[in-house]
Amino acid sequence: MDTTASAPVPATSDDTAASGAPAASAPAVPMLRIAGVLALRPVLILALGTGLLALNLSLLYVNALVVIVDVLALAAVGLALRAEGSRLRDLFGPWRWVDLAWGALLLVILTVGFFVSNVAANLIVYGGAPPADAGANFSIPLWVGLVAVLIAPLTIALAEEAVYRGYAQPRLQRSLGRIGALVVVAIVFGIQHVGFALSAGPAVAAKVLTTLLAGLILGALWLWMKRLMPLVLAHWGLDLLFLGLPTLGLALL
């Protein structure tokens, strides 16, 4: 373990050396490979949501079954990195205990940012608070709630940060620049969440817009930190609070 660096330091240029695949060290890879890694999660989550609706099951099942998608996404990133002579563990960098403190700080930033993004999206789509879900199917078994609170927040955080901020953003940066890569990744990140809200058009729009704005915040935090593990920890906390615990609560009703 490197004991000389006690904390991630905000980067001032692309040449800053840091763990978590900084942009300057990201290899030039075929754009088709990057697109394939980026597209996997949106396609699989959309297929999962569509399948649940076809079976007349609640979309809340996605909050647990997404673990399968996470494993496949991490495998895809691992294969892409192997083709570049690297490993998945290299993407996250060596563990540092100070990451816990940075993760806590980023969780506060993300929580505020997610709240603002949600309010802004609802104002744009609904002109205010969203309507109550009339007739929504909230009947889910306890196992869905348990998986959603105990497993899914961690696998989602690992998979999404590996795919979007760890792998795609620094590699797209080589051809699109910082802002271009940030925006493209955030758009795909937002589109990924279509599968979580297929019940109505406005719900889809609000979900995509909320998570697109959140994706911009996550991407900007990665540009600042140039280190993935604090983002993973913060992302885990966010999904635990706003996905895992609410799902478990509904399962217990």
Side-chain angles (χ1 to χ4, degrees), residues 36-75:
V37 172
L38 272 176
L40 183 63
R41 282 184 65 81
V43 169
L44 290 179
I45 293 175
L46 179 60
L48 184 58
T50 302
L52 288 171
L53 289 182
L55 295 172
N56 198 31
L57 294 173
S58 171
L59 286 173
L60 290 171
Y61 277 82
V62 177
N63 295 348
L65 296 177
V66 72
V67 170
I68 301 171
V69 177
D70 297 332
V71 172
L72 294 174
L74 285 169

Side-chain angles (χ1 to χ4, degrees), residues 8-18 22 178 222-226:
V9 179
T12 56
S13 73
D14 282 349
D15 295 326
T16 301
R178 286 188 178 187
W222 181 85
L223 285 174
W224 174 50
M225 298 293 295
K226 286 293 192 294

Side-chain angles (χ1 to χ4, degrees), residues 26-233:
V29 299
M31 190 63 70
L32 187 60
R33 182 186 300 164
I34 302 174
V37 172
L38 272 176
L40 183 63
R41 282 184 65 81
V43 169
L44 290 179
I45 293 175
L46 179 60
L48 184 58
T50 302
L52 288 171
L53 289 182
L55 295 172
N56 198 31
L57 294 173
S58 171
L59 286 173
L60 290 171
Y61 277 82
V62 177
N63 295 348
L65 296 177
V66 72
V67 170
I68 301 171
V69 177
D70 297 332
V71 172
L72 294 174
L74 285 169
V77 175
L79 289 173
L81 289 171
R82 181 179 296 180
E84 300 166 17
S86 185
R87 299 171 300 175
L88 189 60
R89 71 175 68 178
D90 298 330
L91 205 64
F92 296 101
W95 170 257
R96 301 172 185 170
W97 286 106
V98 74
D99 288 340
L100 291 172
W102 282 100
L105 173 62
L106 296 188
L107 175 57
V108 173
I109 296 172
L110 281 178
T111 301
V112 173
F114 183 80
F115 176 78
V116 172
S117 299
N118 188 252
V119 170
N122 287 332
L123 284 173
I124 292 171
V125 175
Y126 298 107
D133 292 325
N137 180 14
F138 287 147
S139 178
I140 52 174
L142 181 59
W143 71 264
V144 172
L146 291 174
V147 172
V149 78
L150 296 175
I151 303 174
L154 178 59
T155 62
I156 291 172
L158 287 170
E160 291 187 346
E161 293 312 313
V163 168
Y164 296 112
R165 265 66 62 176
Y167 186 82
Q169 188 168 332
R171 284 156 181 79
L172 287 175
Q173 221 172 267
R174 297 182 68 97
S175 55
L176 301 180
R178 286 188 178 187
I179 302 302
L182 171 68
V183 171
V184 168
V185 169
I187 289 172
V188 179
F189 182 71
I191 292 172
Q192 166 197 275
H193 290 81
V194 168
F196 287 91
L198 290 171
S199 55
V204 171
K207 176 70 77 173
V208 170
L209 189 54
T210 296
T211 49
L212 187 156
L213 295 173
L216 291 173
I217 296 171
L218 283 162
L221 288 174
W222 181 85
L223 285 174
W224 174 50
M225 298 293 295
K226 286 293 192 294
R227 183 162 170 78
L228 209 57
M229 189 53 69
L231 270 179
V232 170
L233 294 172

